[in-house]
Amino acid sequence: MVDVDDILRTAIEKDASDVHLISGIRPMLRIARHLTPYEGCDNLTPEDMADIYDYFIRGNIDKDAVFTKTKKLDSSFEFNGLRFRVNISLSGDVPVFTLRLIKNELPTFEELGVAAPILKAIQEMGYESPMPVQEEVIPFLLGEDNDVIALAQTGTGKTAAYGLPILQKINVSQYQPQALILCPTRELCLQIADDLNDYSKYIDNLKVLPVYGGSSIESQIKALKRGVHVVVATPGRLIDLMNRKTVDLSNVKNVILDEADEMLNMGFTDSINEILAAIPENRNMLLFSA
Ligand code: AMP
């Protein structure tokens, strides 16, 4: 049984700025810049998540809070005289969701430097305030050229953390890959490309192409010929395209390794090195690992 009141009390006591409740990991309290596990319970099971869900939906959030079409809810509530925000996202029918409780006022996406067309898109998706990894990574990537290593699990908002700034930096009039995202699986590849398409909905003509094994290489080659700005790829298929000289990585300025730990575990090290060798050295490297 998880005791949400106790988690909240601990957060207040330890002066945590926010708390993450994510299925499969134990609650994390964010104290200063660091995440500290909440010692009261171990990994959160789907049943725990259902209890927590009830706690908020049935009891503690504003009565008029509604889920958006994308199954997200952003609302606030009071606990022991302090205001928290709760952010819930449901993924499919599975009771897996992310809760976020924020004690302090957060900067807005606008204050982090996110530009108008992207702001409009993410507002429509129900993103009201940046998640912690976004708060840290977005201004950094929008600033001077930087390499970043971030530790972030799925569900923490990492796709937007790197996606928003790299999309914002694309020169749309230049129809060449300027950003490359490498990820371990076809599913993740498609999901990232979908997210990037959603974020760039109001940037005219920006093209994101997912390339992954198991689907027609011919149609991927055609799309590359027509011109794309962002390539999201699994390493094996990208190498295949490179060998056929159908993809030009010489204008890539940002490389993201999403689930880098997983790619290394899956034995993609050589492929990744081969891909990186085809990209100019003055690129930015962003590495995300669980
Ligand atoms: P990710 O870690 O990138 O897989 O993101 C986890 C989930 O959180 C996805 O459903 C995102 O659409 C959602 N998400 C990301 N950033 C925000 C935000 N700032 N506010 C609300 N939902 C978000």
Side-chain angles (χ1 to χ4, degrees):
M1 250 325 254
V2 336
D3 182 347
V4 180
D5 281 351
D6 191 54
I7 296 176
L8 294 177
R9 270 192 300 272
T10 310
I12 294 170
E13 210 175 276
K14 300 205 165 180
D15 204 23
S17 58
D18 52 42
V19 182
H20 298 274
L21 304 172
I22 298 171
S23 181
I25 63 173
R26 67 162 80 172
M28 303 290 270
L29 310 176
R30 183 166 181 246
I31 297 163
R33 315 214 113 211
H34 302 285
L35 289 167
T36 310
Y38 164 75
E39 299 300 339
C41 71
D42 281 331
N43 288 359
L44 294 172
T45 63
E47 290 72 33
D48 290 332
M49 297 308 270
D51 286 348
I52 298 165
Y53 185 74
D54 277 354
Y55 177 98
F56 289 104
I57 298 294
R58 302 254 160 86
N60 288 297
I61 55 174
D62 301 343
K63 294 274 172 295
D64 52 359
V66 286
F67 276 91
T68 61
K69 260 193 255 150
T70 49
K71 299 194 182 169
K72 281 186 218 325
L73 181 148
D74 211 330
S75 188
S76 62
F77 67 99
E78 233 177 82
F79 181 84
N80 283 8
L82 287 170
R83 209 137 186 91
F84 283 73
R85 275 179 90 125
V86 54
N87 177 283
I88 305 175
S89 54
L90 291 176
S91 110
D93 302 334
V94 195
V96 177
F97 41 87
T98 310
L99 293 172
R100 182 168 182 214
L101 314 175
I102 304 149
K103 218 170 58 178
N104 304 319
E105 278 309 307
L106 284 179
T108 61
F109 278 109
E110 200 168 0
E111 282 161 354
L112 296 183
V114 176
I118 297 181
L119 278 178
K120 185 171 174 201
I122 59 176
Q123 269 157 11
E124 285 182 11
M125 294 171 73
Y127 293 16
E128 284 192 5
S129 45
M131 294 170 88
V133 66
Q134 295 162 359
E135 201 183 318
E136 299 201 13
V137 169
I138 292 173
F140 205 67
L141 293 184
L142 284 177
E144 292 301 300
D145 296 343
N146 284 306
D147 286 347
V148 178
I149 295 185
L151 299 182
Q153 311 254 0
T154 291
T156 54
K158 68 187 160 108
T159 317
Y162 65 73
L164 307 185
I166 63 160
L167 289 168
Q168 191 161 322
K169 283 181 153 182
I170 296 291
N171 172 2
V172 183
S173 61
Q174 183 189 12
Y175 272 87
Q176 274 149 344
Q178 296 159 48
L180 170 67
I181 296 144
L182 292 174
C183 61
T185 63
R186 161 205 173 103
E187 288 70 30
L188 187 59
C189 178
L190 285 167
Q191 189 196 318
I192 295 169
D194 276 354
D195 285 353
L196 297 183
N197 277 321
D198 289 341
Y199 301 147
S200 59
K201 183 170 158 196
Y202 295 110
I203 305 178
D204 286 344
N205 299 324
L206 194 147
K207 298 274 182 261
V208 177
L209 179 70
V211 306
Y212 50 90
S215 78
S216 154
I217 197 164
E218 297 305 329
S219 65
Q220 292 170 3
I221 292 173
K222 268 192 210 132
L224 284 164
K225 279 202 183 121
R226 282 195 298 271
V228 301
H229 301 101
V230 180
V231 174
V232 188
T234 52
R237 175 55 63 98
L238 185 62
I239 297 264
D240 199 346
L241 290 164
M242 286 165 67
N243 290 340
R244 295 170 190 234
K245 307 225 178 314
T246 48
V247 59
D248 173 11
L249 300 179
S250 66
N251 291 292
V252 169
K253 291 174 192 69
N254 287 293
V255 182
I256 290 96
L257 306 186
D258 197 339
E259 298 197 354
D261 47 341
E262 199 55 36
M263 285 195 285
L264 299 185
N265 287 340
M266 287 168 74
F268 282 133
T269 314
D270 290 346
S271 305
I272 291 172
N273 286 334
E274 192 178 335
I275 292 164
L276 294 180
I279 299 172
E281 291 222 353
N282 61 358
R283 71 209 170 209
N284 295 333
M285 281 279 292
L286 328 174
L287 193 146
F288 283 81
S289 167

